Amino acid sequence: MLKRHGHETVLAGLVVIALVVMSFQSAQFLTTGNMLNQGRLMAEVALVALAMTFVIVSGGIDLSVGSTMGLCAILTGVLWQNMGLPLGVVLAIIPLIGLICGLFNGFLIIRVGMPPLIATLGTLALYRGLAEGISQARSVRGYPEWFAAIGQGSILGLPTQIWILGIALIVAGVILGLTRWGRTVQAIGYSEPAAHFAGLPVNGAKYAVYAVSGLAASLAAILFVSRVSTTRSDMGTGLELDVITAVVLGGTSIFGGRGTIIGTALGLILVQVLKNGLSLAGVRGDGTLVLIGVVLVLTLVAGAFMENRVRR
Amino acid sequence: MKYLLTVCALALAAPAHAQWTGGDGAPTSPLPCDGSTVTPEAVAYDGGAVANEGSKAGKPLRVVDIPKLIGIGYFDSSARGVAKGAEALGNVTVTTDGPTQANIDDQITLIDNYITSGVDGILFAANDPVAIAPVLRKALAAGINVVGYDSDAEPDARQWFVNPAEFNGVAKSLIDQLAEGIGPDGSFAIVTSTFTTPNQARWISEMEAYQQACYPEMTWLETVEAQEDNILSFNQATTLINKYGEDLNGIVGMTSVATPAAAEAVTQAGLCGETTVIGLATPNAMKPYVASDCVKSAVLWDTGAMGAAAVMALRAAADGTLKPGDTSFDAGDLGTLQIAHGSQILLGAPTVFTSANINDFDF
Amino acid sequence: MIGSTTLPPSGTGAVRRFLREYGHEILVALAIFALLVGVGLYNPRFVSARNLTTIFSGNAYIAVAAIGMTMVIVIREIDLSVGALIGVLATISGTLAVSGAPIWVAWTVPIVAGAAINAISGILVAYARIPSIVVTLGMMAILQGGLITATGGTWISNLPPEYLLAKMTVFGLPMPLVWAIVLTILAGLWMRLSPFGRSLYLIGGNAEAARAVGIEVPRRIVAVFMIHGAFAGLATLLFATQLQVIQSTTPPNLELIVITSAVIGGVSILGGTGTVFGSSLAAVLFATIGSALIFVNVSAYWLRAFIGTLILLTVMADMLRRKRTMKGA
């Protein structure tokens, strides 16, 4: 158990320790209000991280998610305000835009054969550039009340984002852990040639993971635009690093093959607990940044020791 | 080959613009060319209301100051002003915390955390006026006094805003000085941070309007982005000099990073006295160039005074001595400040640093 | 591999081999040349001595940093922290320079400190076997946050004039340009000719094989990270001494520019291939593009979209070229 799930065990322990320490540091930390609010604030990163887990497990990476989010955010505003489409229609189109962005990444990687890191480094610049060019750096404001409800409202007392995250978490966990398709993604990550020989639908699965990654980024864009009721072309800058931090902190191997949704969820929670708890305890943002870096490295070292991977 | 063509087509489809200024496209209100003053229209108080008004009068306040980002000289000096103002008041403790990059999401999250931790007051410089509004309204509803400085939010999301310099005033000041250097028919280019930074985009729009109204013969060559990065600013300014040669008479820096870098570019190109550099800059960064007579003047407000005024306004709002309808605010050492546009406390005209006065300032 | 029946037999064998081996580098060099000619015809000031100096000398530090990055990528690792590292080293160096330390100390310390800091990353990668992308992601956060905590954002000014290395000239050539050329040639020859340098390609291409022939892989990984740190230190000296002030924040996105330079220069992210000649040329290509976009009046709003498209096109062109070479062979 420890050997196979050493990383998740270390992580779960760390989350518990962090929760306990932080609740002693600040009386406001372990309150229902704060916890629910944190769920709202982490929704965008979390959604994209769930999709990114699939990408990384398949042996790939998607650096373009932040730019995809920016492009989708801008298009929400431009389609609605400049092109005059009803906002409801726009909300149906935006996920398609995200899908197209993801499929274009997939096309570059699968059809053209570019390494994922390079292809998505290129589209990171391209999608952000399109967002800037299309918007001419203007922001779009003045969204109607009902739209703000998505990002700022609650259902049955819980923030909307918690519901969306809960559903996404279960769906992602079931697909990766229990379905044939999830196992295909893992097999591709272990050894793509072997997956080919085994007759698995390698290209289809790879297209799907990048498409889902783009889709998640577009949903994150809608949530974010609704939460802050404005669109800007620089939205989502640096999102990719937050997302990758959470996923690898969750024990997903950057070389593919290995990774769990529960690990990603724990990684996300740990980062959020640290950010929130340290801030409540009066630690400044730069100090928090250093600590998250240290925790990221130390957790992986500890995981490596428990799984006996360390060279002596 | 098909995909190659697709990408080529995509690249060519991007329309090339004859001119792009980097302005935000919002309506402008240029000042009269001759320098006659306009009395601002009296506007009723449009700021927000804090819950449990007056419950903190006279009590010690725990205040957090959240600039756009930490780690740059500009907000370093405003934070020192805030700290000094708090010290002078005696019953306010203030901590400065902010995102490490000018990121709207990080700033919102940070403010949200401080609301949870139960501070008594929030000072902010907004990365985006609209995006920050919901979280600030939440603070007001929680009984937290909220005062902005440097970059405003939507008026009803904060009580007061310390306006260091009005957009059209800055625009007039910059363009007037530019005209002194390059003449009413000179040509110039702009180095800004990014086109999405609200303040810079606003200044540029106002400058465009004022220049067209008062110096219609001037040529606005182009605007380039240089982030908040001095090496990039230097390279961009140098490239502009190389591109236009003697057709470029002046460079305007829109940030405290870009202006000294542009001055350095002109110095290294050996064009001191021929190419005019003006812009927003802290005096310390400009001293070498003013001393070598390469730069005649730079513009900025007293960032320390801005921070101090903000914390004093917050104290006064909590005490109830600064209330809706007031037309002036007594800011102690800083004198009496005018209140205009509903709920903005004006710091006054920006300071123009020249060889005559630059050594009197240290920030 | 040597020779091919489809090619005419002649004394040009050496030339052909050179063309095949350095095909990518030649492609990048041709792209630079084409840009210089094309934009130069549009606006002759583009190829004026002054603008060429700006392009080549002003961005030399990127080429120098890309040399170390090339080595790291050749052994199938990556370093996301190089931008933050250069920011930290610049502050260390500048602080020493204004505190009255001898100038040679202010010049040497960043090189040593760069190697030392990167040794930590290298050890974690080689011995704890944590993927380098993760280690350096963590390192980036630590260095970025640490720098702000330490400096509070205060700039370093009043640098002594004799410290400003990048403003000096050698035989009339700007110092950064000379450094970039000399370091590229030295590092290129070292990677090509020395047993250590050649072993890097083997480690990147096939680590098992490298072990089998008795190469101590982990030790070499640490060494490469340290060399890369030293090159980051050298790049810092050119970067920090260009102006009269040092900004105490990390230069935004510098790591992406450095990595992209290495990759566009023909270094496969899958390891085992690529030369520092390619990466240095790619750094020049980027600088040329950045300057050209201002000269040909591309709307600044669309600038980044162009850069992204160019990255993708360059990689595509290279992949097509490789495919053709493989079919032809």
Side-chain angles (χ1 to χ4, degrees):
Chain A
M1 160 80 191
L2 269 186
K3 264 198 142 170
R4 269 203 64 200
H5 294 288
H7 192 91
E8 283 84 349
T9 318
V10 170
L11 206 58
L14 269 177
V15 170
V16 173
I17 293 170
L19 281 171
V20 171
V21 172
M22 295 306 168
S23 58
F24 277 109
Q25 292 292 316
S26 162
Q28 290 85 21
F29 175 71
L30 213 57
T31 55
T32 324
N34 185 41
M35 291 291 133
L36 292 180
N37 197 29
Q38 292 311 308
R40 191 192 285 285
L41 294 176
M42 72 193 276
E44 294 91 13
V45 172
L47 264 185
V48 179
L50 290 175
M52 183 74 84
T53 309
F54 285 85
V55 176
I56 296 182
V57 165
S58 81
I61 197 151
D62 185 355
L63 297 180
S64 72
V65 285
S67 299
T68 306
M69 179 173 159
L71 179 59
C72 288
I74 273 303
L75 284 174
T76 309
V78 168
L79 289 177
W80 172 62
Q81 204 170 60
N82 302 17
M83 318 262 284
L85 291 177
L87 196 50
V89 177
V90 172
L91 294 189
I93 295 174
I94 292 303
L96 290 178
I97 307 271
L99 269 178
I100 292 169
C101 289
L103 285 172
F104 184 65
N105 285 335
F107 169 78
L108 292 175
I109 292 159
I110 297 149
R111 184 75 199 282
V112 184
M114 286 189 193
L117 195 74
I118 307 304
T120 57
L121 196 65
T123 52
L124 172 128
L126 176 62
Y127 296 160
R128 178 72 61 200
L130 288 177
E132 286 172 350
I134 291 170
S135 69
Q136 298 285 295
R138 309 268 197 277
S139 53
V140 174
R141 294 157 182 177
Y143 290 96
E145 288 276 314
W146 66 265
F147 179 61
I150 303 174
Q152 298 173 34
S154 301
I155 303 171
L156 300 177
L158 292 179
T160 335
Q161 283 95 334
I162 302 262
W163 293 98
I164 296 173
L165 271 191
I167 295 168
L169 188 69
I170 293 168
V171 171
V174 167
I175 291 179
L176 186 62
L178 301 177
T179 65
R180 172 188 269 275
W181 195 78
R183 283 195 297 275
T184 304
V185 172
Q186 289 177 353
I188 294 170
Y190 270 121
S191 166
E192 201 174 318
H196 260 299
F197 280 122
L200 295 172
V202 173
N203 286 349
K206 280 173 77 180
Y207 266 114
V209 294
Y210 288 103
V212 170
S213 176
L215 178 68
S218 67
L219 296 179
I222 293 175
L223 278 182
F224 191 59
V225 170
S226 166
R227 175 153 71 87
V228 300
S229 48
T230 180
T231 47
R232 289 169 49 138
S233 59
D234 61 350
M235 280 178 164
T237 310
L239 178 79
E240 62 282 352
L241 294 183
D242 288 344
V243 166
I244 294 169
T245 303
V247 174
V248 292
L249 188 59
T252 298
S253 162
I254 204 83
F255 301 127
R258 184 188 180 285
T260 59
I261 291 295
I262 197 83
T264 298
L266 285 169
L268 284 163
I269 292 170
L270 183 59
V271 170
Q272 197 67 24
V273 163
L274 284 177
K275 276 191 182 163
N276 173 235
L278 289 170
S279 174
L280 291 183
V283 177
R284 278 166 39 125
D286 44 340
T288 308
L289 191 63
V290 172
L291 208 82
I292 288 176
V294 171
V295 167
L296 176 62
V297 172
L298 287 187
T299 314
L300 288 155
V301 172
F305 265 104
M306 295 194 71
E307 291 169 18
N308 275 328
R309 280 190 285 122
V310 176
R311 286 182 180 132
R312 288 167 207 273
Chain B
M1 207 55 220
K2 207 167 59 196
Y3 37 80
L4 214 76
L5 289 175
T6 319
V7 180
C8 282
L10 214 96
L12 293 175
H17 286 243
Q19 189 194 47
W20 51 98
T21 61
D24 61 4
T28 53
S29 49
L31 293 174
C33 308
D34 57 6
S36 61
T37 47
V38 244
T39 330
E41 250 178 89
V43 180
Y45 179 76
D46 61 353
V50 66
N52 307 319
E53 181 91 57
S55 61
K56 296 195 190 102
K59 291 186 192 149
L61 295 179
R62 197 163 71 86
V63 173
V64 61
D65 160 38
I66 303 181
K68 284 183 177 181
L69 74 164
I70 50 174
I72 67 165
Y74 181 85
F75 285 115
D76 189 39
S77 59
S78 72
R80 271 183 275 140
V82 170
K84 250 169 90 181
E87 203 186 298
L89 288 164
N91 53 1
V92 177
T93 51
V94 58
T95 46
T96 296
D97 192 359
T100 50
Q101 273 158 4
N103 178 318
I104 47 179
D105 197 18
D106 287 354
Q107 190 177 33
I108 292 166
T109 307
L110 209 58
I111 295 175
D112 216 322
N113 284 338
Y114 277 103
I115 295 173
T116 310
S117 78
V119 291
D120 303 306
I122 292 174
L123 301 171
F124 69 90
N127 279 314
D128 185 281
V130 178
I132 202 174
V135 73
L136 292 180
R137 288 193 194 102
K138 186 172 155 186
L140 288 173
I144 298 170
N145 292 100
V146 180
V147 172
Y149 64 91
D150 181 72
S151 316
D152 203 0
E154 289 183 321
D156 69 313
R158 49 55 181 175
Q159 293 175 281
W160 301 95
F161 170 64
V162 176
N163 192 344
E166 292 185 78
F167 292 111
N168 51 10
V170 172
K172 175 174 163 56
S173 184
L174 286 175
I175 295 288
D176 282 347
Q177 285 177 66
L178 181 69
E180 241 171 70
I182 68 173
D185 55 355
S187 58
F188 64 99
I190 306 260
V191 182
T192 185
S193 50
T194 66
F195 295 133
T196 45
T197 330
N199 275 4
Q200 268 76 15
R202 204 76 272 282
W203 285 319
I204 290 174
S205 278
E206 289 286 359
M207 283 162 68
E208 207 184 345
Y210 181 75
Q211 175 249 313
Q212 275 166 8
C214 303
Y215 303 98
E217 301 294 307
M218 271 192 191
T219 315
W220 185 305
L221 293 170
E222 69 180 282
T223 308
V224 294
E225 276 187 312
Q227 319 295 332
E228 292 270 347
D229 182 351
N230 62 358
I231 299 284
L232 186 60
S233 302
F234 170 76
N235 276 341
Q236 298 287 66
T238 308
T239 306
L240 287 173
I241 293 171
N242 296 345
K243 175 180 174 183
Y244 292 107
E246 61 277 13
D247 297 338
L248 177 71
N249 308 120
I251 302 177
V252 186
M254 297 310 298
T255 72
S256 54
V257 178
T259 311
E264 179 73 28
V266 168
T267 306
Q268 290 198 13
L271 289 171
C272 281
E274 283 172 51
T275 306
T276 303
V277 173
I278 55 128
L280 301 167
T282 54
N284 283 357
M286 295 310 285
K287 277 174 192 168
Y289 308 109
V290 171
S292 70
D293 209 29
C294 198
V295 170
K296 294 271 177 275
S297 61
V299 180
L300 200 68
W301 36 91
D302 187 338
T303 49
M306 172 177 75
V311 73
M312 282 189 261
L314 190 127
R315 177 76 254 181
D319 290 346
T321 50
L322 174 62
K323 47 196 184 305
D326 286 358
T327 52
S328 67
F329 168 57
D330 176 20
D333 294 349
L334 303 173
T336 302
L337 303 178
Q338 192 197 352
I339 292 176
H341 312 303
S343 52
Q344 298 189 9
I345 298 167
L346 305 183
L347 211 53
T351 314
V352 177
F353 306 110
T354 60
S355 56
N357 67 353
I358 196 162
N359 288 315
D360 304 341
F361 297 91
D362 182 26
F363 66 95
Chain C
M1 278 301 282
I2 302 162
S4 162
T5 47
T6 53
L7 289 166
S10 71
T12 57
V15 175
R16 271 189 284 119
R17 210 173 70 194
F18 177 80
L19 281 179
R20 189 164 49 236
E21 240 170 77
Y22 289 98
H24 190 86
E25 285 79 356
I26 294 166
L27 195 75
V28 177
L30 284 177
I32 298 171
F33 186 70
L35 262 177
L36 289 177
V37 172
V39 182
L41 287 174
Y42 179 80
N43 183 342
R45 287 199 184 110
F46 186 65
V47 285
S48 65
R50 205 161 65 192
N51 199 48
L52 292 179
T53 309
T54 308
I55 296 175
F56 292 112
S57 188
N59 296 283
Y61 69 95
I62 294 173
V64 172
I67 293 174
M69 184 64 78
T70 300
M71 297 180 190
V72 170
I73 298 180
V74 161
I75 61 163
R76 279 191 84 163
E77 303 294 346
I78 197 152
D79 180 8
L80 298 179
S81 67
V82 67
L85 180 64
I86 289 176
V88 168
L89 294 178
T91 300
I92 293 175
S93 174
T95 310
L96 285 170
V98 293
S99 70
I103 294 302
W104 67 268
V105 173
W107 282 346
T108 331
V109 167
I111 303 171
V112 178
I117 293 172
N118 263 16
I120 303 171
S121 302
I123 289 169
L124 288 170
V125 172
Y127 292 97
R129 297 208 214 182
I130 308 174
S132 50
I133 190 170
V134 186
V135 170
T136 57
L137 187 66
M139 204 53 141
M140 177 167 99
I142 295 170
L143 292 173
Q144 260 177 8
L147 183 60
I148 292 175
T149 310
T151 64
T154 321
W155 289 15
I156 301 169
S157 49
N158 298 323
L159 294 165
E162 64 272 21
Y163 168 72
L164 300 174
L165 191 68
K167 289 189 179 180
M168 300 175 187
T169 53
V170 193
F171 305 122
L173 290 171
M175 188 71 97
L177 180 63
V178 174
W179 275 41
I181 293 172
V182 170
L183 289 171
T184 304
I185 292 173
L186 287 181
L189 291 177
W190 180 75
M191 285 184 78
R192 167 102 214 193
L193 300 176
S194 78
F196 190 112
R198 296 175 78 117
S199 76
L200 302 185
Y201 290 97
L202 188 55
I203 294 172
N206 189 339
E208 286 306 318
R211 258 189 292 278
V213 297
I215 297 171
E216 285 210 51
V217 177
R219 211 176 278 182
R220 299 251 154 131
I221 294 176
V222 178
V224 167
F225 267 87
M226 290 178 72
I227 295 170
H228 166 50
F231 272 104
L234 291 166
T236 302
L237 294 185
L238 304 181
F239 167 77
T241 58
Q242 290 186 70
L243 309 180
Q244 297 183 27
V245 290
I246 293 174
Q247 202 173 6
S248 57
T249 42
T250 53
N253 295 328
L254 183 55
E255 63 279 352
L256 286 185
I257 299 170
V258 173
I259 292 171
T260 316
S261 293
V263 168
I264 301 298
V267 184
S268 163
I269 209 82
L270 301 172
T273 62
T275 68
V276 296
F277 302 114
S279 66
S280 290
L281 283 170
V284 172
L285 176 64
F286 263 119
T288 315
I289 291 171
S291 183
L293 287 175
I294 292 186
F295 270 84
V296 299
N297 285 339
V298 170
S299 158
Y301 295 124
W302 290 99
L303 206 139
R304 216 186 308 245
F306 267 84
I307 290 176
T309 312
L310 282 169
I311 294 175
L312 293 175
L313 281 178
T314 315
V315 179
M316 276 182 188
D318 183 46
M319 306 208 57
L320 288 177
R321 190 187 63 83
R322 275 178 210 216
K323 259 186 207 163
R324 246 206 330 267
T325 321
M326 266 155 68
K327 271 182 202 154

